[in-house]
Amino acid sequence: DPIGWNVTLERAVPDMDYICELNNRLWGCSTDTNELFCSALGNAFNWYVYNGDSQDSWAVNVGTTGPFTGICTYQNNILFFKEDHIHMVYGTRPSNFQVSTLHCQGVEDGSSRSICILNERVYYKSKRGVCIYSGGQPSLISDALGDVEYTGASAAAFGDKIYISMTEISDPLAESWDESHGELLVYDTITGLWHKEGREHIRFFAVYDGCLL
């Protein structure tokens, strides 16, 4: 620069715990600031654009306590989870985005990968067990597993079944207990039956080319 000026340009991005995509925007949440965010329309690099139009980015603070534990899209809305709350963001543009908060069983901390959707219902691992959410209060569907404690779940929907791998950390009915171990469980959404398929500890699931990986 012949004048001797130095110019630095940068784009700030919030420090977010979980991110997903909906309607050509990225959405995220930050435990540090207890905020929900979305990027500018069609631009994942701009999170602080406020020009007063439908392409603006957006942010809001929520009043609930505790860390965020997961995120997903559901019926053209965004669900932000904490262990004891679900925040749903709905609307079509920043000027009419609204947050609805439900005090309920949310996603267990450490089980963000358990969130999956099948037939317009959201399944996930809460502190008490596996839950199903379709609006309103979530319902616990894992009573058949007894008083066994599980944690650290990951899951996937495939066919009419939910495949979920969790770490078993206690079993009050076990005659002997050596150490925690993984268990692969399958929930049949048609019959409502649970099946134990093995002791695999699966960290990630993916559905690809008609197969569950």
Side-chain angles (χ1 to χ4, degrees):
D1 190 330
I3 307 177
W5 291 354
N6 292 319
V7 178
T8 301
L9 300 177
E10 66 178 11
R11 294 184 180 183
V13 176
D15 185 12
M16 293 173 285
D17 302 287
Y18 301 98
I19 298 176
C20 68
E21 184 275 335
L22 178 67
N23 294 335
N24 208 17
R25 298 177 187 267
L26 288 185
W27 297 76
C29 52
S30 170
T31 295
D32 287 343
T33 61
N34 216 24
E35 286 181 288
L36 315 178
F37 302 91
C38 78
S39 68
L41 183 65
N43 193 331
F45 299 101
N46 282 331
W47 295 79
Y48 298 99
V49 176
Y50 305 110
N51 295 321
D53 57 37
S54 62
Q55 300 185 42
D56 279 354
S57 48
W58 177 83
V60 68
N61 186 272
V62 296
T64 55
T65 60
F68 288 102
T69 56
I71 188 175
C72 74
T73 62
Y74 177 63
Q75 296 183 346
N76 211 38
N77 304 312
I78 302 289
L79 299 182
F80 297 89
F81 293 91
K82 293 187 175 186
E83 283 198 326
D84 298 308
H85 297 88
I86 299 176
H87 298 285
M88 182 176 71
V89 176
Y90 57 97
T92 58
R93 55 190 182 277
S95 62
N96 67 13
F97 286 156
Q98 297 186 57
V99 181
S100 173
T101 300
L102 183 65
H103 181 70
C104 63
Q105 294 184 68
V107 173
E108 174 193 49
D109 193 12
S111 293
S112 62
R113 293 193 296 268
S114 70
I115 304 170
C116 56
I117 298 175
L118 180 63
N119 296 329
E120 301 303 315
R121 295 175 177 176
V122 184
Y123 296 82
Y124 60 87
K125 170 69 169 65
S126 73
K127 289 185 293 184
R128 290 181 53 198
V130 181
C131 289
I132 181 173
Y133 171 84
S134 56
Q137 285 287 336
S139 300
L140 197 66
I141 61 171
S142 56
D143 285 340
L145 301 179
D147 295 327
V148 180
E149 291 187 47
Y150 296 97
T151 190
S154 59
F158 185 67
D160 291 317
K161 298 178 179 179
I162 302 298
Y163 292 76
I164 182 164
S165 178
M166 302 183 282
T167 299
E168 182 179 332
I169 57 175
S170 75
D171 185 352
L173 299 180
E175 294 182 0
S176 63
W177 186 259
D178 296 324
E179 59 183 7
S180 62
H181 60 269
E183 274 202 351
L184 176 60
L185 300 137
V186 181
Y187 177 71
D188 190 320
T189 62
I190 302 298
T191 64
L193 297 176
W194 282 94
H195 302 276
K196 292 186 178 183
E197 293 209 351
R199 286 196 169 190
E200 291 81 12
H201 187 187
I202 299 170
R203 295 181 61 197
F204 301 95
F205 289 92
V207 177
Y208 173 73
D209 196 24
C211 299
L212 177 63
L213 307 180

